[in-house]
Amino acid sequence: MKSFFKYVLATVTGIVISFFLLVIIGAIVVGAWVGSVVSDKETAVASNSLLHVKLDYQITERTIPNPFEELDVPGFKTEKSVGLDAILEGISGAKTDDRIKGIYLDLSGVSASFATLQEIRDALVDFKTSGKFIVAYGDHYTQRAYYLVSTADEVYINPEGSIDFRGLASQTMFLKGALDKLGIEAQVVKVGTYKSAVEPLVLDRMSDANREQVSSFLGSIYDHFLSEVAEGRKIDKDSLFRISDQYLVRTAQDAVDYRLADGIKYKDELLSELKTRIGIEESDDINVVSLSKYKPAQKASGSATRDRIAVVYAVGEITSGEGNNDIIGSDRISRELRKVRRDDKVKAVVFRINSPGGSAQASDVIWREVDLLSKVKPVIVSMGDVAASGGYYIAAAADSIFAQPNTITGSIGVFGVVPNMQNLMNNKLGITFDGVKTGQYADFLTNVDRPLTADERRILQLEVNRIYDTFLQRVADGRSLSKAQVDSIGQGRVWSGEQALANGLVDRLGSINDAVAAAAKKAGLDDYRLVTYPAISSPFESLLGGSADRVSAWISQRELGEYYRYYEQMRAGVQLRGIQARMPFTLEIY
C-alpha cells in the first residue's frame, strides 16, 4: 500500500509539473506570436529622420521569421538575423523617402561574406546619388565593416578606437591528425588537381595546388577590396596596399593621418555633427529609425499587370530530399522550378544561388529542371557569396550568369570519401564485426569497418570519373565551350567572380537587382511584379520544423561558442557519404 501511494504521489506530481511547464511554454509561444505580429507593423518614421544602419546580426539571403526574436526571457536568447533582401529594400527605399535625410553607419563588425557586403556597399553608393549624406562612426572597424564604411561622406572614430587594415587571410583546419588518433582513415577518390575539399581529411597542410588557387582568388578579392576603398576614400590603391602591408594604421590618429578616417570624435561630438547636418538645435533629439525596423512606404503601382519575374532562392548545402530554408533539397527546389516553368504569368526567372555544393546526384536533379526551364523562359543566375562545385553545376544551364567580383565560384570537380573505422573499432574500442554475403560486392560502401579492396577503389574511381565527365559536359553545353576548355579551368579550381568573368564561367559582374533587370529585358518586360520561391515557412513552422535537430544544434552552439564550427567540420567529414561536388568544408577569409 505504501508503494501504491508513493506511485500515485509521483504521478500527480509529474502531472502538476507538466501542467505548469505547458502553461509556461504556452505563454512563451503566445508572447512570441504577439511579438511577431507587432514587429510586422510598419515603424512610424518622423520627418527629418536618420536611417540607423547597424549590422551586428547574422545576414541571410532572405529574412526568416523568428517568433522568439522579440522575447526577453532569462536564459532564453535567440540570435537575431535579417535578410539581405530587407537590407537592400530598406536602403533603396530610404533613397527616395523624403522623411529620411541621411544614413548613420554605426558599424564595428559585420558577420557577412564579401559578396553580400558588395551588394550592401553598392546600395549605399547608389543611395548617395540622391544627394543625401552618409556619416560613419565606430569605436573599432573590422576590415569587413570598413569596406562598407568607406562609402561614407565622413568617417569618424573614437579617440581610443582603431581600424583593422592589415590585408586578408584564409585558414583551413586539417583533421588528419585527429582522425589518426581516433583510428579513422578517410579513403578518398577524386578528380581535379585543385579539388581541395578532401585535403583536411588526408593531409595536415595545404597542397601546393591548393595554396596556388587560394593565393590566386584571395589576391583577386583583395585587389577588388583595395580598388573599392581607394575610390571611396580618394586614396591611391598602391598607397592603401602599403598601409595594409606595413600595418601602419594602429591607432585612431594613424587612421586620420593616413586618411582612412576624417576625424576623431566622442559619441556626443558625433551626435552634435549629425544634428548640424539635419539642421536641428543642439537641445533637440535626433529622430532615428533602425534599418532592421524600417519599412519603406509602399508605392502605388497603378498597374494591374499579371506579368511576373520569379526569384527562386537556393541557399545552403545541396542534398537529396526536401531540405529547408538553409539546405537545398533537390525535391523542394526542383518542384519550385517546375512550378514557375508551368506558370504562364511568370515570364522570366532569376535563380539566386548561394551554395558550396554537395551531393552530385542531387545537383544533377536540379540541373535538369533548370535546363527544362531555360528552354521555355529566360533564366538568369545571380550568385551570392559562393556558388561553387554543385552550386555551379546547378547554374550551368542558365541563359546568363551574374556574380559579384568577390563571389567564390568554379570548383568544377568531384570526389568520394569512404571512412575506414577498422582501427577505431578493433584496436581502440575492442569491437569486431563478422558476417556473410551473397556476392563479393554485397557490402561495398556499406561496411566501414574495413578498408576498400583494390577492385572496389577502382570501381569507385571509375564512377567519380564518369560523374566528372558529366559535370564537364553540363558546363560545356551551358557555356558554349568545349569539354577540354572546361577541364582546363576545372580540375576543382576555385575562382573569384572577377576571375570567373575572365575565363568564361560567368557573363557579368552585378547584383541580384542587376540580374532582375537583365531578366526583365530578356523577357521584354517594362511592367512586372516580383515573386519569390520557395515560400518562407511561417514563424511556427520554422520553430517546429526539424525541432530535434534545431535543439541539438542550439545546445552545441551554446556550449562550444566560436569553436562550434570545428565540431561541425569534424562531424561533417566523418559522415560524408556518396559522390560529392562540393567546396572545402570551411573557407574562411578574415
Side-chain angles (χ1 to χ4, degrees), residues 416-429:
V417 179
V418 180
N420 171 21
M421 300 187 182
Q422 186 179 62
N423 188 29
L424 170 66
M425 295 295 183
N426 296 175
N427 302 328
K428 295 185 180 295
L429 300 179

Side-chain angles (χ1 to χ4, degrees), residues 89 92 484:
E89 181 186 13
S92 176

Side-chain angles (χ1 to χ4, degrees), residues 269-418:
E269 295 173 310
L270 180 277
L271 294 176
S272 296
E273 164 78 11
L274 293 174
K275 290 176 182 180
T276 299
R277 280 187 171 271
I278 60 179
I280 65 175
E281 298 295 327
E282 182 66 30
S283 58
D284 293 338
D285 291 329
I286 301 174
N287 296 319
V288 175
V289 57
S290 169
L291 174 62
S292 62
K293 299 293 183 183
Y294 172 61
K295 295 185 183 299
Q298 297 296 316
K299 299 177 182 178
S301 66
S303 171
T305 180
R306 68 192 298 274
D307 293 337
R308 300 175 180 178
I309 293 178
V311 181
V312 180
Y313 284 87
V315 179
E317 182 179 348
I318 300 173
T319 66
S320 298
E322 281 299 306
N324 53 42
N325 292 326
D326 304 314
I327 296 176
I328 302 172
S330 59
D331 289 350
R332 183 180 186 227
I333 297 301
S334 296
R335 186 169 58 249
E336 299 301 311
L337 291 169
R338 282 195 298 274
K339 189 184 299 181
V340 298
R341 170 161 56 91
R342 295 168 178 170
D343 189 339
D344 292 336
K345 291 178 287 188
V346 174
K347 305 301 182 184
V349 178
V350 172
F351 192 22
R352 175 68 170 184
I353 301 172
N354 198 340
S355 171
S359 164
Q361 190 272 334
S363 298
D364 194 67
V365 168
I366 297 171
W367 169 87
R368 170 66 175 173
E369 290 299 331
V370 176
D371 185 53
L372 292 173
L373 177 60
S374 67
K375 287 178 170 56
V376 295
K377 297 176 183 181
V379 180
I380 310 296
V381 161
S382 170
M383 293 180 168
D385 293 318
V386 57
S389 206
Y392 189 83
Y393 195 125
I394 65 177
D399 297 287
S400 185
I401 299 176
F402 282 62
Q404 290 288 11
N406 30 34
T407 294
I408 298 296
T409 188
S411 193
I412 299 169
V414 183
F415 69 90
V417 179
V418 180

Side-chain angles (χ1 to χ4, degrees), residues 452-587:
L452 292 169
T453 66
D455 199 40
E456 288 171 337
R457 186 179 287 274
R458 179 187 61 82
I459 292 171
L460 191 56
Q461 185 68 62
L462 287 173
E463 181 65 7
V464 168
N465 293 348
R466 182 189 66 78
I467 293 173
Y468 179 64
D469 187 71
T470 301
F471 197 165
L472 293 179
Q473 191 66 60
R474 301 289 191 237
V475 177
D477 292 342
R479 304 302 301 166
S480 299
L481 299 170
S482 69
K483 283 173 66 175
Q485 287 175 306
V486 178
D487 187 46
S488 70
I489 55 177
Q491 292 291 320
R493 180 152 186 169
V494 177
W495 306 97
S496 72
E498 281 190 331
Q499 293 172 324
L501 177 66
N503 64 32
L505 289 178
V506 306
D507 297 288
R508 281 184 57 186
L509 301 179
S511 66
I512 186 172
N513 290 331
D514 294 327
V516 170
K521 182 178 180 180
K522 195 167 182 64
L525 300 178
D526 294 320
D527 190 16
Y528 57 86
R529 184 161 66 94
L530 283 180
V531 289
T532 59
Y533 299 84
I536 296 178
S537 303
S538 71
F540 293 103
E541 287 174 331
S542 298
L543 172 66
L544 298 175
S547 56
D549 291 339
R550 290 171 183 267
V551 170
S552 176
W554 180 78
I555 292 173
S556 298
Q557 288 173 335
R558 183 180 177 87
E559 293 300 318
L560 297 175
E562 64 178 294
Y563 300 107
Y564 173 74
R565 67 182 187 273
Y566 301 127
Y567 158 78
E568 183 63 18
Q569 182 174 341
M570 174 73 81
R571 184 193 64 80
V574 172
Q575 293 183 354
L576 266 183
R577 294 291 187 276
I579 307 301
Q580 300 288 311
R582 63 170 295 153
M583 281 273 291
F585 295 110
T586 58
L587 178 60

Side-chain angles (χ1 to χ4, degrees), residues 112-188:
S113 296
F114 278 103
T116 292
L117 296 178
Q118 185 74 57
E119 299 261 1
I120 300 171
R121 193 179 195 281
D122 290 346
L124 292 170
V125 171
D126 181 64
F127 172 87
K128 291 175 66 176
T129 63
S130 67
K132 300 179 181 182
F133 66 85
I134 299 178
V135 170
Y137 178 80
D139 296 331
H140 171 78
Y141 297 113
T142 65
Q143 292 187 107
R144 293 171 193 263
Y146 191 75
Y147 188 54
L148 300 181
V149 162
S150 63
T151 63
D153 299 283
E154 301 288 338
V155 177
Y156 296 114
I157 189 170
N158 182 279
E160 296 303 316
S162 62
I163 295 177
D164 189 9
F165 202 78
R166 297 173 289 133
L168 302 181
S170 177
Q171 188 177 57
T172 300
M173 183 178 75
F174 291 85
L175 307 176
K176 183 180 183 300
L179 295 178
D180 287 346
K181 290 180 182 297
L182 292 172
I184 300 174
E185 176 195 8
Q187 302 172 106
V188 171

Side-chain angles (χ1 to χ4, degrees), residues 86-128:
I87 293 172
L88 299 181
E89 181 186 13
I91 295 173
S92 176
K95 175 185 174 183
T96 57
D97 191 335
D98 293 336
R99 301 169 298 176
I100 302 293
K101 299 303 178 185
I103 287 178
Y104 164 34
L105 283 180
D106 181 10
L107 303 178
S108 289
V110 183
S111 59
S113 296
F114 278 103
T116 292
L117 296 178
Q118 185 74 57
E119 299 261 1
I120 300 171
R121 193 179 195 281
D122 290 346
L124 292 170
V125 171
D126 181 64
F127 172 87
K128 291 175 66 176

Side-chain angles (χ1 to χ4, degrees), residues 17-37:
I17 293 174
S18 299
F19 172 77
F20 280 108
L21 284 175
L22 286 173
V23 170
I24 292 171
I25 293 171
I28 291 175
V29 170
V30 171
W33 176 78
V34 172
S36 66
V37 170

